Amino acid sequence: MNQKKKIENYQQIAMGTGLRYDETNDLFHGERDGFDFIVYAPDARYPYMMVLHTAAKSADGSTFDKQAVKGFQKSSKKIASFGQKNLDIRVSLKAQSNAEKCKDTLNEALAATTTFLRTNSYSPCCDLCGQNVETGAFRMGGEYYHLCPDCEMKMRSDIAMNAQQTAQKKENIVGGIVGALLGSLLGMLSVLILSQFGICSSIIRCDHGGVRSEGI
């Protein structure tokens, strides 16, 4: 599938699911039943095999047990797997053959996921601070986050600071190398100039008679 056709199909999927398609980051994002979702295809070879990603926590801070996860996975034939790590919830879906089937799969899986979370007293939250506040989708490198405004601002500030520190380190390294090279060249040039004027430096040598200075 060429890129133009893929974008057209993804835009159709977005319209059919109520999500927004971000062409720059090649992902869908939006809200379903109060939960902020990022939806993306992890393997470009399979553009209709999606992963749902959201952030949520339980009322008592517990995580899903194996039985609950198995029950959820059996609740829909479209669901391939369910993963939970800290506040991250990821639902992998089975690959579909075209945009229409992908749209139907997403709608079914989104509804099933939000129902599962609500039924088990889970609520949407920020990936970093865990507060039950409005969040927005955020991508950094290959990682996806759902961040409240304060945490997003902090993460952007940290990214900018790290970039500045990295650039400063590179600048210091380059400056050190250039300084060393200039120092070496100036030293050699000084010796050549002094030699031209007949000014000799001396070298300390040791022999059996003691220490003596000998002209070059």
Side-chain angles (χ1 to χ4, degrees), residues 177-197:
I177 293 172
V178 171
L181 288 172
L182 286 175
S184 177
L185 289 171
L186 287 172
M188 292 174 64
L189 184 60
S190 297
V191 171
L192 289 173
I193 292 173
L194 291 172
S195 297
Q196 291 296 318
F197 285 94

Side-chain angles (χ1 to χ4, degrees), residues 38 43 49 61 63 97 117 126 134 164 171 173 178 201 216:
I38 297 172
D43 191 330
M49 185 173 69
T63 57
S97 58
L117 293 174
C126 172
E134 184 177 349
Q164 185 177 359
E171 185 177 329
I173 291 171
V178 171
S201 58
I216 297 175

Side-chain angles (χ1 to χ4, degrees), residues 16-32:
T17 57
L19 302 175
R20 295 180 294 279
Y21 175 54
D22 181 344
E23 185 179 334
T24 302
N25 293 301
D26 197 26
L27 55 81
F28 301 89
H29 63 93
E31 186 179 303
R32 291 291 289 261

